[in-house]
Amino acid sequence: MQLPEYPESYWRRTAELPAFPKLTRDLETELAVVGGGITGLTTAYLLAKEGRRVALLTADRLLAGTTGYTTAKITAQHDIIYDELIAHFGEDKARLYYEANAGALAFMRSLVAERGVACDFVDEDAVVYATREDGLRKIEKEYAAYQKLGIPGERYDTLTLPFGATAALSMKRQARFHPTPYAAFLAGEIVRLGGEIFEETTMDKFHDGQRATVTTKDGYTVTCDSVAACSHFPFFDNGFYFARLHAESSYVIAIKSPYDFPGGMYITANEPKRSIREVTYGGEKLLLIGGESHKTGQGECTIEHYEALKRFAEDTFGVEEIRYRWSTHDLVTTDKLPYIGFAREGTPNLLVATGYRKWGMTTSAVAGRLLADLLLGRDNPYAELFGPSRFQADPDMGTLAKETADVAYHFVKGKLEWLKKDPEELGLDEGAAVRIRGRRCGAYRDHEGKLHVVDTTCTHMGCETEWNAGDRTWDCPCHGSRFTFAGEVMHGPAKKPLERL
């Protein structure tokens, strides 16, 4: 069974999104939202619903970022997390984290039901399960945390899935959905309520003042009272977010299987990670199999991650066809809680939402509701918990030290790596880091035989990018920037493309 030749997201392929123009003029508005995923759309929708003049601006098309490459689980069960939250933050804050995400699920469920959004919204239990002894111990601790926090869950020893499990823990009545029709509904509501949406509009600089201004890469100015940065990586320069976030990649395949799936959404407590859920959109049933997480730019041969998921699917469920494959890239904070709120102290008109740790569907709704409250001057019970200016010595200090050492290692490794491959040796659809006249370069030969050569030095802070064979991209192992094979920026923090040679 062959993998699809090119990565393609099921969500973006199977449902339509409205198109919006590029910003080609200076713009004055009350509130600006930057980012075309569900966080930005939710924020802009809630602001427009309150009668505020709002403009949403995104560097690509809507859902071109992390939202378009999700597994689309709407759940407060974010893997094994609550025992760890209690240890680092205490029971009260751990309970707030659960309540914030449970409230986000209830908000989305209510909106879909009241407005009749046809987005394959299905209530299902979320289940974390163990297949080894180390996973069993984690589940025992997590179940104890559920009981302390009053989280409705059930602990059991067997699964109705075709493989052995030593323990499982469910969180009741969570949900799955198709994010594209949901996003299309939000976009339609923003426009209906008087808001504006601009696609293919890259924001460059934020300027503080009596009124905030944001300049675009094309030289236009957006003037507003406040800006909410809801993009994958914050577009503004200050706040040291590059040091407080690291990027992780994971992979998904969508398969047609003869197996009669019993329902539920599953994820392993131990490594290797495996995420399993069903899709039933448009009458067709597919299984989504995800996992194989690693730091972006640090996967040895990325196509092997897809191959590992394929082998798991074949051995477990049987595979009639692999319809889609894609990867997702998300940001993780030093303490594993997202940054949502005022971006930095002393700048009350700049807000941010980032660092979702791959649980972006409920977190997007948490962020949209919290940002809207802050922009409207309302109290929100979760503002302190998610505030970006927080610092917790444990675990922040340890994580910062570890991440700094990791960045230093990969910076030096990239500079000293000895490359033996020549561009002439590359076959069709093959890429690699190569040495040309003593200079480290990146080369990719496309299907027509044309050679695309770039300087592999990341334009963010000078680390050397690595070739991602699975997605045909250049990925930075230091801070997670990603570039197309031709060097164009896909994800920040880098803003400038790789130099073409």
Side-chain angles (χ1 to χ4, degrees):
M1 187 65 59
Q2 295 297 312
L3 290 164
E5 185 175 8
Y6 292 98
E8 183 179 33
S9 165
Y10 171 87
W11 312 119
R12 300 189 69 201
R13 182 70 177 84
T14 57
E16 294 293 325
L17 281 166
F20 297 95
K22 183 177 183 178
L23 183 66
T24 56
R25 56 181 171 85
D26 290 342
L27 176 69
E28 192 281 329
T29 188
E30 186 177 359
L31 300 166
V33 178
V34 178
I38 286 185
T39 300
L41 288 164
T42 303
T43 305
Y45 162 70
L46 292 173
L47 294 171
K49 191 178 176 185
E50 293 287 338
R52 300 304 178 94
R53 283 191 303 125
V54 60
L56 184 145
L57 309 104
T58 184
D60 206 318
R61 296 289 312 280
L62 296 180
L63 265 59
T66 307
T67 299
Y69 297 86
T70 177
T71 53
K73 299 176 181 178
I74 312 173
T75 176
Q77 188 190 67
H78 296 171
D79 202 339
I80 297 287
I81 188 65
Y82 290 100
D83 176 65
E84 186 175 349
L85 291 179
I86 290 172
H88 290 312
F89 297 98
E91 287 187 28
D92 289 344
K93 288 186 176 180
R95 188 174 293 105
L96 281 175
Y97 182 88
Y98 169 73
E99 290 173 356
N101 284 280
L105 167 58
F107 165 80
M108 296 176 76
R109 177 184 284 123
S110 176
L111 187 60
V112 167
E114 290 174 5
R115 302 302 299 273
V117 185
C119 60
D120 195 32
F121 193 101
V122 179
D123 287 337
E124 290 199 311
D125 291 352
V127 181
V128 59
Y129 68 94
T131 57
R132 295 200 311 266
E133 189 67 26
D134 57 337
L136 171 61
R137 290 193 294 270
K138 290 180 180 179
I139 283 182
E140 296 293 358
K141 290 182 178 180
E142 191 74 349
Y143 181 50
Y146 277 30
Q147 292 177 308
K148 288 179 184 176
L149 301 176
I151 297 174
E154 183 179 352
R155 161 77 170 81
Y156 44 96
D157 297 321
T158 59
L159 289 176
T160 56
L161 292 177
F163 52 79
T166 57
L169 176 61
S170 70
M171 188 176 287
K172 298 299 182 182
R173 200 167 177 254
Q174 307 299 289
R176 60 173 173 84
F177 79 143
H178 193 311
T180 305
Y182 182 81
F185 162 77
L186 292 176
E189 285 296 287
I190 292 166
V191 173
R192 185 184 69 81
L193 294 166
E196 297 179 277
I197 298 177
F198 298 95
E199 295 182 314
E200 298 180 345
T201 301
T202 301
M203 312 312 291
D204 188 21
K205 299 287 185 182
F206 169 83
H207 305 276
D208 195 11
Q210 187 172 2
R211 297 198 80 203
T213 59
V214 183
T215 55
T216 73
K217 281 274 179 116
D218 295 330
Y220 299 106
T221 299
V222 179
T223 304
C224 56
D225 293 336
S226 294
V227 178
C230 305
S231 51
H232 171 75
F233 194 96
F235 72 90
F236 51 87
D237 296 324
N238 296 332
F240 293 97
Y241 284 91
F242 69 87
R244 302 164 62 198
L245 296 161
H246 75 265
E248 291 191 1
S249 300
S250 56
Y251 302 81
V252 183
I253 59 174
I255 67 168
K256 193 170 181 60
S257 171
Y259 178 70
D260 187 15
F261 192 70
M265 304 179 295
Y266 302 86
I267 190 167
T268 49
N270 48 259
E271 300 293 336
K273 284 293 178 186
R274 293 292 180 262
S275 169
I276 308 163
R277 61 151 287 191
E278 191 174 40
V279 172
T280 52
Y281 186 72
E284 181 181 39
K285 290 188 176 183
L286 297 175
L287 283 182
L288 300 190
I289 312 295
E292 294 292 302
S293 178
H294 63 84
K295 282 191 173 182
T296 299
Q298 299 183 23
E300 292 302 317
C301 180
T302 50
I303 198 67
E304 291 183 1
H305 296 294
Y306 289 110
E307 294 284 356
L309 294 179
K310 184 186 81 164
R311 289 192 296 271
F312 171 78
E314 289 172 337
D315 294 344
T316 305
F317 302 107
V319 178
E320 295 176 347
E321 183 183 2
I322 304 174
R323 297 288 298 276
Y324 302 90
R325 69 174 176 93
W326 67 89
S327 65
T328 186
H329 309 270
D330 212 346
L331 298 170
V332 183
T333 70
T334 54
D335 63 9
K336 296 187 180 180
L337 293 182
Y339 296 137
I340 308 168
F342 295 108
R344 56 180 185 257
E345 292 183 358
T347 311
N349 54 2
L350 178 62
L351 292 83
V352 70
T354 187
Y356 293 175
R357 202 177 61 92
K358 302 177 189 173
W359 297 100
M361 295 301 96
T362 42
T363 310
S364 290
V366 170
R369 300 171 81 198
L370 174 51
L371 292 176
D373 280 345
L374 294 175
L375 288 165
L376 295 169
R378 297 192 298 229
D379 291 335
N380 186 292
Y382 313 114
E384 181 183 351
L385 177 66
F386 297 119
S389 296
R390 69 180 185 270
F391 185 84
Q392 187 90 355
D394 175 24
D396 282 311
M397 282 298 295
T399 306
L400 276 171
K402 182 179 177 182
E403 293 301 327
T404 301
D406 184 69
V407 168
Y409 167 77
H410 283 279
F411 182 89
V412 174
K413 177 178 179 287
K415 301 300 181 186
L416 299 181
E417 183 180 8
W418 180 253
L419 302 171
K420 298 180 180 179
K421 205 171 188 84
D422 291 323
E424 291 77 9
E425 299 175 33
L426 296 176
L428 297 181
D429 192 32
E430 184 181 0
V434 298
R435 187 75 62 179
I436 301 176
R437 301 188 188 95
R439 181 177 181 178
R440 191 185 197 275
C441 302
Y444 168 71
R445 191 179 301 280
D446 63 26
H447 283 280
E448 285 69 45
K450 182 179 178 180
L451 196 64
H452 304 265
V453 183
V454 299
D455 184 333
T456 56
T457 305
C458 180
T459 56
H460 175 230
M461 294 187 72
C463 292
E464 297 299 328
T465 59
E466 300 291 344
W467 177 245
N468 177 339
D471 297 333
R472 299 174 180 84
T473 59
W474 294 102
D475 299 349
C476 178
C478 292
H479 301 109
S481 297
R482 304 189 71 225
F483 305 84
T484 67
F485 64 78
E488 296 301 317
V489 177
M490 295 176 65
H491 296 302
K495 294 183 178 182
K496 296 179 181 179
L498 300 176
E499 181 186 356
R500 298 198 64 169
L501 306 174

